[in-house]
Amino acid sequence: MRLLVDLGNTITTVGLEDRGNISTTWRLDTRSLGTEDQLFANLSSLFFSSGEDICSLKGVCLASVVPAVSSVFEYFCRKYTGSALVQVTADERLGVNWDVEYPAEIGADRVANVLGALKHYGNNAVVVDFGTAITIDVVKEGSFVGGAILLGIETSMKALYQRTARLPQIPLSLFSEPVGRNTEENIRLGITNGTLYALNGIISRIVNAFSSRPVLITTGGTASKLQEHIDLADHHDPLLTLKGILEYVYRIEALETDPSC
């Protein structure tokens, strides 16, 4: 068994892979990961509750956007699995053309999303990942050609609440009217609806740049709540990033078996 880890700024999603299947997933607060020993204790409890034995764990593959926390998994691997941590990067040997100015700057989660899209949805795809930030990843004829980054909706809500004296923190929800008549409605209209208007506008321009319509996939923590409001969305795949991390493992293992690949 392997552990697939999507380590985000707010939430860390962990998937248990066994013989090519992602059998179990858990969502952890990134701030709670602590030390390698705390991580082992937390994971042991989760494994036990799912009827699994953590001692069967053979390795960990990590897609991290928080370098300071990545070391926790490095120490965990050394101490408890006896294997080196595998970290997702935009490796030029993966069989993907990273057709952007600075491939080294591509976030590991975006690399995983690209690999997941290529594996499961074909060579022309757009991935919208709803997290602390909203990322749009564009795959055209098998190449990653770039995308966009927006502030996440919940992040925007929290920033507005923390930076203002009188505006309340409200739950994420859409507002159906063109004009808000109280403070909560004004915030919902401005932030939630406004972000969706921006997304739909950006996505429309991206899709129009293709000669034929690409597949549009949504993923990430709040995607399920907003999927129906993304005009061109085809699929919601909550496991896309983990699937991409697994695809990274397979491609790296193929390289190690046959370096000429």
Side-chain angles (χ1 to χ4, degrees):
M1 287 190 299
R2 267 182 291 227
L3 207 61
L4 311 174
V5 183
D6 174 17
L7 198 166
N9 289 288
T10 306
I11 297 294
T12 294
T13 304
V14 179
L16 187 60
E17 178 269 333
D18 187 16
R19 287 170 287 191
N21 296 314
I22 301 173
S23 57
T24 306
T25 62
W26 302 292
R27 282 165 55 83
L28 309 173
D29 185 332
T30 298
R31 296 169 300 178
S32 72
L33 294 177
T35 67
E36 68 275 18
D37 298 321
Q38 289 171 312
L39 179 61
F40 177 77
N42 290 335
L43 288 176
S44 294
S45 176
L46 293 171
F47 270 66
F48 180 78
S49 68
S50 299
E52 302 287 356
D53 181 4
I54 196 170
C55 294
S56 300
L57 191 61
K58 301 302 181 185
V60 179
C61 186
L62 171 71
S64 172
V65 298
V66 192
V69 184
S70 302
S71 59
V72 174
F73 285 89
E74 290 183 23
Y75 300 144
F76 170 84
C77 282
R78 292 177 196 166
K79 188 168 184 177
Y80 293 106
T81 72
S83 62
L85 176 67
V86 177
Q87 296 203 57
V88 173
T89 63
D91 194 315
E92 61 183 14
R93 302 171 300 161
L94 292 172
V96 180
N97 178 26
W98 305 103
D99 189 15
V100 293
E101 290 187 1
Y102 306 108
E105 293 181 357
I106 305 170
D109 55 337
R110 302 182 75 182
V111 173
N113 285 340
V114 168
L115 292 174
L118 285 168
K119 172 67 176 178
H120 297 280
Y121 297 99
N123 286 340
N124 293 285
V126 178
V127 179
V128 183
D129 189 346
F130 290 83
T132 304
I134 300 171
T135 57
I136 303 175
D137 302 315
V138 183
V139 180
K140 193 172 186 178
E141 297 178 1
S143 297
F144 174 66
V145 297
I149 301 175
L150 293 79
L151 199 60
I153 295 177
E154 291 182 329
T155 307
S156 297
M157 292 279 197
K158 186 176 293 184
L160 188 66
Y161 170 71
Q162 292 175 341
R163 296 279 182 170
T164 56
R166 298 187 61 185
L167 294 181
Q169 187 167 15
I170 63 173
L172 186 158
S173 60
L174 286 167
F175 183 59
S176 59
E177 300 299 324
V179 177
R181 293 176 57 83
N182 57 50
T183 300
E184 179 175 331
E185 291 175 354
N186 275 251
I187 294 173
R188 286 167 57 199
L189 181 59
I191 293 182
T192 308
N193 293 46
T195 301
L196 284 171
Y197 299 155
L199 274 174
N200 282 324
I202 293 169
I203 291 167
S204 177
R205 292 195 67 191
I206 289 170
V207 169
N208 288 338
F210 282 76
S211 56
S212 59
R213 190 182 183 289
V215 179
L216 180 65
I217 313 106
T218 64
T219 192
T222 58
S224 60
K225 299 178 183 178
L226 302 171
Q227 161 84 5
E228 63 182 297
H229 303 286
I230 301 297
D231 293 340
L232 300 175
D234 297 301
H235 303 282
H236 171 58
D237 189 341
L239 297 182
L240 181 69
T241 310
L242 293 182
K243 291 176 181 177
I245 295 171
L246 181 58
E247 179 64 13
Y248 182 89
V249 172
Y250 288 155
R251 295 193 184 202
I252 290 298
E253 287 180 345
L255 287 170
E256 292 174 348
T257 302
D258 182 3
S260 66
C261 288

